[in-house]
């Protein structure tokens, strides 16, 4: 994975830090401790570079449009109707998003 700067790389690779990257959504975010909330990031807090747009909404739209699936995030992993490509970043890479 490529990072915009060494600081971003260091924080994302350190599992103790709240800065995270979820490849399935191409999403950089801050994990809010002791909640189920996240804060998505549009810019790197260290170098200021614009980060890729999150594909979270696209993810669910494609699942519904192409496969007729209207499901919640926590249902994806164990749902046999969800194609394997949607369990990784393959789905958006395949569609050149």
């Amino acid at each position: 994975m490529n990072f915009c700067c060494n600081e971003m790389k260091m924080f994302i690779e350190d599992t103790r830090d709240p800065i995270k990257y979820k490849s399935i959504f191409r999403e950089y975010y801050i994990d809010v401790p002791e909640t189920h909330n996240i804060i998505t990031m549009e810019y790197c807090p260290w170098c200021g570079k614009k980060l890729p747009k999150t594909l979270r909404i696209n993810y669910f739209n494609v699942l519904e449009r192409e496969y007729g699936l209207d499901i919640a995030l926590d249902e994806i992993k164990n749902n046999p109707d969800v194609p394997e490509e949607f369990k990784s970043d393959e789905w958006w890479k395949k569609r050149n998003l």
Side-chain angles (χ1 to χ4, degrees), residues 9 24 37 71:
K9 180 180 189 301
I24 196 170
N37 299 323
I71 60 176

Side-chain angles (χ1 to χ4, degrees), residues 1 7 13 26 28-29 35 41 43 45-46 49 54 61 64 66 70 72 81 83:
M1 173 173 187
E7 288 81 4
E13 288 179 347
R26 194 181 67 193
Y28 292 86
Y29 63 97
T35 72
M41 298 167 50
Y43 295 89
W46 294 279
K49 183 175 179 182
T54 177
N61 287 343
E64 186 170 5
E66 293 183 15
D70 184 17
D81 295 331

Side-chain angles (χ1 to χ4, degrees), residues 8-95:
M8 177 67 93
K9 180 180 189 301
M10 179 182 70
F11 277 89
I12 290 197
E13 288 179 347
D14 187 339
T15 58
R16 299 169 297 170
D17 288 318
I19 307 284
K20 308 289 183 201
Y21 175 74
K22 186 177 284 292
S23 64
I24 196 170
F25 298 137
R26 194 181 67 193
E27 179 176 82
Y28 292 86
Y29 63 97
I30 300 168
D31 191 11
V32 181
E34 300 179 25
T35 72
H36 295 288
N37 299 323
I38 63 167
I39 300 167
T40 56
M41 298 167 50
E42 292 186 30
Y43 295 89
C44 174
W46 294 279
C47 71
K49 183 175 179 182
K50 185 158 180 62
L51 299 171
K53 183 180 174 190
T54 177
L55 297 173
R56 184 178 288 262
I57 292 171
N58 301 66
Y59 178 88
F60 292 101
N61 287 343
V62 170
L63 270 177
E64 186 170 5
R65 183 177 63 245
E66 293 183 15
Y67 298 96
L69 297 173
D70 184 17
I71 60 176
L73 180 59
D74 61 349
E75 299 172 358
I76 290 169
K77 197 177 232 181
N78 298 319
N79 187 319
D81 295 331
V82 175
E84 279 302 309
E85 70 179 282
F86 286 88
K87 297 177 183 176
S88 72
D89 59 4
E90 180 185 352
W91 77 271
W92 61 263
K93 289 179 177 178
K94 179 179 174 182
R95 290 165 180 79

